[in-house]
Amino acid sequence: MESEGILLGMGNPLLDISAVVDQGFLDKYDVKLNNAILAEDKHLPMYEEMTSKFKVEFIAGGATQNSIRVAQWMLQIPGATSYMGSIGKDKFGEEMKKNAKLAGVNVHYYEDELPTGTCAVCVHGGERSLIANLSAANCYKPDHLKKPENWALVEKAKYYYMAGFFLTVSPESILLVAEHAAAKNKIFATNLSAPFICEFFKDAQEKVLPYTDFVFGNETEALTFAQVHDYKTESIPEIALKISQLPKASGAHKRITVITQGADPVVVAEDGKVKLISVIPLPKENLIDTNGAGDAFVGGFLSQLVLEKPIEECVRAGCYASNVIIQRSGCTYPEKPDFK
């Protein structure tokens, strides 16, 4: 199999500033656990405060970039994955490049004058809340994508993944790649990513959904999606089924919806049927934090999808990867995977 550059991701490269915080800090900044939001003015002081008040770790993040890094780790095939997004010309940006190289991902960053984007990861009782200050990540433009050396990555790839978060930055770039995928019968995957994407970026999301062959998400996002689209149900299997049956731009592949539910089974809707697949149980005391768990699930899943493995195997790999990541801080992993 010709695997060089088989999987391409595009998204918001962010440096995670991660710390275990107290309830007072969450309340002060009006932050809810198990949520992801874009920073408003009131959140901007929190990055400094976290750094001075708590023990922080700086970890290369950004949802799509995490998934691509995990897929690369699972595959252990040099250069199998590529990634594009926008970073700043600063030390965080340099850190990001170094990290991507170490991970073996072929990155083509656009470099902007603004500082590299950051994401506050507030961990409390093992749960996480994400507050993203996009900064440079918000500056990605289709012009960068259209440069021959970058579009070459699109031409080469057979699988594409872009988390929903990129809808807030460059829906135009997403559609360029999505339309290419549909025209060439390639596989395009996305993620509901966060309740606010489903609520406030509904129109952009609806334009992309017809091109998607795989839609990932968690139960909270699925419930928000169902509310916004007036599905009149809170049953995750039903919602997953409805998403899988939304109209499609190309008939070459049927859409498959994959919804994770934390420790509960993964819901897979395909071809008018729903399967529930159990996750690997983890004793509470082994849980470090859930940051990157959903990203890792997608990364593990995609690593087997590009090898053309059956969906059950893809889910099993997703569960394996997320199980590894929740026992570590942030979206980090040991040197080699132990997935059999």
Side-chain angles (χ1 to χ4, degrees):
M1 163 186 129
E2 174 45 52
S3 57
E4 197 198 332
I6 191 165
L7 172 62
L8 169 65
M10 289 178 74
N12 304 335
L14 303 174
L15 191 77
D16 282 354
I17 302 174
S18 179
V20 175
V21 303
D22 52 41
Q23 189 60 47
F25 185 80
L26 296 176
D27 295 342
K28 177 177 176 181
Y29 287 106
D30 189 24
V31 168
K32 313 243 182 309
L33 288 172
N34 200 14
N35 198 9
I37 58 170
L38 293 177
E40 297 168 40
D41 289 345
K42 66 175 181 184
H43 298 114
L44 296 178
M46 77 189 296
Y47 300 88
E48 275 306 307
E49 189 177 333
M50 272 176 87
T51 311
S52 59
K53 215 169 168 180
F54 306 105
K55 184 179 170 294
V56 298
E57 286 181 272
F58 294 93
I59 306 162
T64 304
Q65 185 163 248
N66 283 342
S67 296
I68 297 295
R69 275 190 8 238
V70 169
Q72 179 61 46
W73 171 69
M74 290 284 287
L75 281 164
Q76 295 285 312
I77 303 167
T81 62
S82 345
Y83 175 81
M84 288 188 260
S86 174
I87 59 173
K89 301 171 180 168
D90 51 19
K91 70 173 199 301
F92 285 170
E94 287 309 312
E95 191 63 29
M96 202 77 91
K97 283 192 239 179
K98 200 174 80 190
N99 191 284
K101 259 203 184 66
L102 277 174
V105 178
N106 175 20
V107 292
H108 283 211
Y109 291 125
Y110 167 70
E111 295 184 35
D112 191 76
E113 297 310 319
L114 284 175
T116 296
T118 48
C119 181
V121 180
C122 302
V123 178
H124 187 75
E127 294 287 322
R128 58 89 180 128
S129 189
L130 309 176
I131 304 90
N133 181 15
L134 296 182
S135 191
N138 206 22
C139 300
Y140 193 84
K141 301 278 183 296
D143 314 358
H144 178 261
L145 174 62
K146 289 175 182 164
K147 285 192 171 148
E149 66 273 26
N150 299 327
W151 190 255
L153 297 181
V154 178
E155 295 278 354
K156 191 177 237 177
K158 295 190 176 68
Y159 296 82
Y160 306 91
Y161 175 65
M162 294 174 205
F165 294 120
F166 201 46
L167 287 168
T168 74
V169 172
S170 190
E172 203 184 328
S173 299
I174 301 178
L175 283 170
L176 280 170
V177 176
E179 285 162 2
H180 165 88
K184 301 274 195 250
N185 278 339
K186 295 173 173 183
I187 301 283
F188 186 87
T190 190
N191 202 310
L192 299 177
S193 288
F196 86 87
I197 298 286
C198 303
E199 285 182 80
F200 305 115
F201 292 85
K202 176 178 181 244
D203 296 350
Q205 194 180 51
E206 280 178 352
K207 282 197 184 77
V208 173
L209 280 172
Y211 297 98
T212 56
D213 301 298
F214 285 85
V215 175
F216 296 96
N218 68 24
E219 72 279 42
T220 321
E221 294 147 12
L223 287 168
T224 305
F225 188 91
Q227 264 171 344
V228 169
H229 292 82
D230 204 23
Y231 281 178
K232 296 190 174 37
T233 177
E234 290 188 357
S235 147
I236 302 295
E238 269 182 62
I239 297 166
L241 209 50
K242 281 187 188 289
I243 295 173
S244 72
Q245 290 166 338
L246 290 169
K248 245 180 139 285
S250 124
H253 309 282
K254 294 195 173 73
R255 184 182 301 107
I256 298 177
T257 310
V258 184
I259 305 293
T260 57
Q261 313 185 83
D264 293 330
V266 178
V267 177
V268 180
E270 173 184 16
D271 229 352
K273 292 189 277 297
V274 175
K275 281 193 198 89
L276 298 179
I277 302 173
S278 296
V279 305
I280 307 160
L282 183 74
K284 187 81 172 128
E285 59 272 19
N286 294 15
L287 173 74
I288 300 292
D289 71 54
T290 56
N291 183 27
D295 303 336
F297 176 85
V298 173
F301 187 103
L302 294 173
S303 75
Q304 302 308 295
L305 188 69
V306 305
L307 299 174
E308 298 179 7
K309 297 282 170 60
I311 296 301
E312 282 79 359
E313 267 308 275
C314 298
V315 172
R316 201 168 69 80
C319 292
Y320 165 77
S322 57
N323 183 267
V324 168
I325 264 97
I326 59 178
Q327 298 182 66
R328 303 167 67 94
S329 186
C331 197
T332 60
Y333 37 77
E335 197 189 338
K336 290 266 193 293
D338 176 28
F339 176 70
K340 293 177 188 63

